[in-house]
Amino acid sequence: TAKQDIPYVVRHYQQNLDDNNYTLVETENLVGEADKQVSPAVKSYTGFKQPDVQTKVIAAYGSTIIEYKYPRETYVIALNKGTGIASVSGAGTYKYGESVTIDATVSTTGDFNWVNWTGSFTTTTKKYTFTATSNVTVTANAQETITFAVYSATDKSFRLYRSTTVPTAGSTYKGRTATAVYKGIDKTNFTSYEEQPWANYALSVKKVVVEDVIYPTNTAWWFGDMRNCPSFTVGNINMSKCINA
């Protein structure tokens, strides 16, 4: 007569995070009939792959041990470069639970500023650390800040701004009609006031205001021939990058 209630052991191991070895996480002490086959069920662990079910014969003297090893899932971290991004780092394949650090380098060509990562998640942190629990695809984004001037016939003002959005001529901007809009003036080297694209309006200007802090490389002849203007508010011009004033 076959012996009943013969003990056997099922051990469940999970792959380590830092190496390819395995650590015992759960033990089942079971019983069955001697010399009979058993196929113990595998477990379901988040972030781990299930091994194939094993079938073994229960040894009559209780020496049967079945070991299940669960490898970690692996995930792909894909990074894309959006507008104004020179490079990204941190892409690759990672094990479940592994720490991932991604970073981006903003382009130095143009006046770009960091905005965010978008895609599988959104964060404004440029150097961002998270735990790998799924495939991830994100894009690094920057936005160009543009220095521009607006002449408005509404109050005969010439105003300079630094913003990511630029009005079009004829639109209403900051409560005034943008009669004319001039981009790129912070990097243009004028050699005379006649070269200024706003030369036709210079004598009409009654107020000059630098509304935002700007960092021009050239300011030569900006206000040339504005001899009828009694008011200049230009304290927001930062001259640290200026090579021709």
Side-chain angles (χ1 to χ4, degrees), residues 30-45:
L30 305 175
V31 294
E33 186 177 342
D35 300 323
K36 293 289 186 179
Q37 289 185 336
V38 289
S39 302
V42 297
K43 300 289 185 177
S44 179
Y45 298 115

Side-chain angles (χ1 to χ4, degrees), residues 26-244:
E26 190 172 351
T27 300
E28 295 180 280
N29 295 300
L30 305 175
V31 294
E33 186 177 342
D35 300 323
K36 293 289 186 179
Q37 289 185 336
V38 289
S39 302
V42 297
K43 300 289 185 177
S44 179
Y45 298 115
T46 299
F48 293 85
K49 300 175 183 177
Q50 288 183 319
D52 293 333
V53 174
Q54 299 180 37
T55 299
K56 284 191 175 184
V57 174
I58 299 175
Y61 297 101
S63 60
T64 301
I65 298 175
I66 299 173
E67 294 184 338
Y68 285 133
K69 292 185 177 181
Y70 300 76
R72 288 179 182 264
E73 296 279 4
T74 55
Y75 302 109
V76 175
I77 309 301
L79 306 178
N80 299 314
K81 295 185 296 181
T83 300
I85 299 299
S87 63
V88 291
S89 62
T93 301
Y94 293 82
K95 292 179 183 177
Y96 169 77
E98 192 170 358
S99 179
V100 182
T101 298
I102 59 175
D103 200 358
T105 301
V106 176
S107 174
T108 56
T109 303
D111 190 4
F112 288 98
N113 295 285
W114 170 253
V115 178
N116 59 8
W117 292 99
T118 56
S120 299
F121 55 77
T122 299
T123 178
T124 57
T125 303
K126 188 169 72 68
K127 187 175 183 179
Y128 183 64
T129 299
F130 60 96
T131 300
T133 58
S134 64
N135 292 327
V136 166
T137 300
V138 287
T139 299
N141 305 292
Q143 193 169 39
E144 188 172 16
T145 303
I146 299 171
T147 297
F148 60 95
V150 176
Y151 171 74
S152 175
T154 303
D155 61 353
K156 293 183 171 50
S157 65
F158 185 81
R159 299 172 187 268
L160 290 90
Y161 301 91
R162 183 171 180 264
S163 177
T164 56
T165 58
V166 180
T168 56
S171 65
T172 299
Y173 187 69
K174 305 290 186 179
R176 291 172 289 272
T177 299
T179 307
V181 179
Y182 310 98
K183 295 189 295 184
I185 67 170
D186 55 320
K187 298 178 177 64
T188 303
N189 184 20
F190 300 113
T191 59
S192 69
Y193 71 84
E194 291 92 347
E195 292 183 359
Q196 300 165 352
W198 54 87
N200 290 339
Y201 295 111
L203 291 175
S204 302
V205 174
K206 300 300 183 183
K207 180 185 294 184
V208 172
V209 182
V210 181
E211 298 283 6
D212 304 311
V213 177
I214 59 175
Y215 304 84
T217 57
N218 289 279
T219 61
W221 295 100
W222 272 12
F223 310 122
D225 212 29
M226 292 185 183
R227 55 179 178 268
N228 294 326
C229 179
S231 175
F232 290 83
T233 304
V234 296
N236 278 335
I237 300 178
N238 186 310
M239 301 295 285
S240 61
K241 297 181 180 180
C242 193
I243 57 176
N244 189 17

